[in-house]
Amino acid sequence: MGTPGQAGKLLYVMHNSEYPLSTFALFENGPCLVADLNLDVLMVKLKGFFQNAKANKMETRGTRYQYCDFLVKIGTVTVGQSGRGITVEVDYCPCAVPGDCWNLMVEFMQSFMGSHAPSVPPVFSAKHDPLYTPADTMVQYMELLNKIRKQQVTVAGMR
């Protein structure tokens, strides 16, 4: 998006199988809009104002596991038919305030990820509301997919 002579802002339209009736629209370093699936139809009608980057479509598919109070989703990131990375999403279901259960989550993740367990995600420090929402998950996916996309460009540039 943008006007001529002005750098455009990137808008990411994302979907999550945990919320099949929702569409998430995220501006890079900006807000996250949560809407119903009609947002996709609206975006098609507004295509004259947006430049679609279909070549950059990334997808994460995987398996969902329930272990006691933890929900673990392990997925493969793909661009087209090519695998680009692996995702591990962990949710401690009884808690909606990540700061209250982060140490427990890290201990659980270390049990199967070892030293690869992550540090506190930046989305937590940027929030004013301590409650965790599905939009927070989508922001983390956007950040992760952008890192993978940049690595792909870097690797391609080194060839």
Side-chain angles (χ1 to χ4, degrees), residues 29-30 120-130 136 139 143:
N29 301 321
V120 177
V123 70
F124 295 161
S125 59
K127 284 180 58 99
H128 298 292
D129 183 2
D136 297 324
V139 168
E143 291 170 352

Side-chain angles (χ1 to χ4, degrees), residues 127-141:
K127 284 180 58 99
H128 298 292
D129 183 2
L131 291 178
Y132 193 80
T133 66
D136 297 324
T137 299
M138 299 312 288
V139 168
Q140 291 179 76
Y141 270 106

Side-chain angles (χ1 to χ4, degrees), residues 14-22 24 60-62 64 73 89 138 141:
M14 302 175 74
H15 299 92
N16 186 329
S17 60
E18 293 289 320
Y19 307 97
L21 299 178
S22 297
F24 300 86
T60 300
R61 286 189 183 261
R64 181 183 197 269
K73 291 189 252 178
E89 178 182 341
M138 299 312 288
Y141 270 106

Side-chain angles (χ1 to χ4, degrees), residues 62-132:
T63 307
R64 181 183 197 269
Y65 302 96
Q66 183 85 33
Y67 179 75
C68 299
D69 288 335
F70 291 94
L71 177 63
V72 179
K73 291 189 252 178
I74 300 173
T76 303
V77 178
T78 58
V79 177
Q81 298 296 318
S82 179
R84 298 289 184 210
I86 297 172
T87 61
V88 178
E89 178 182 341
V90 176
D91 183 15
Y92 181 58
C93 299
C95 185
V97 181
D100 292 350
C101 59
W102 181 252
N103 291 335
L104 178 63
M105 290 179 66
V106 168
E107 187 175 331
F108 175 72
M109 288 185 281
Q110 286 175 339
S111 72
F112 63 93
M113 294 175 69
S115 62
H116 297 287
S119 57
V120 177
V123 70
F124 295 161
S125 59
K127 284 180 58 99
H128 298 292
D129 183 2
L131 291 178
Y132 193 80

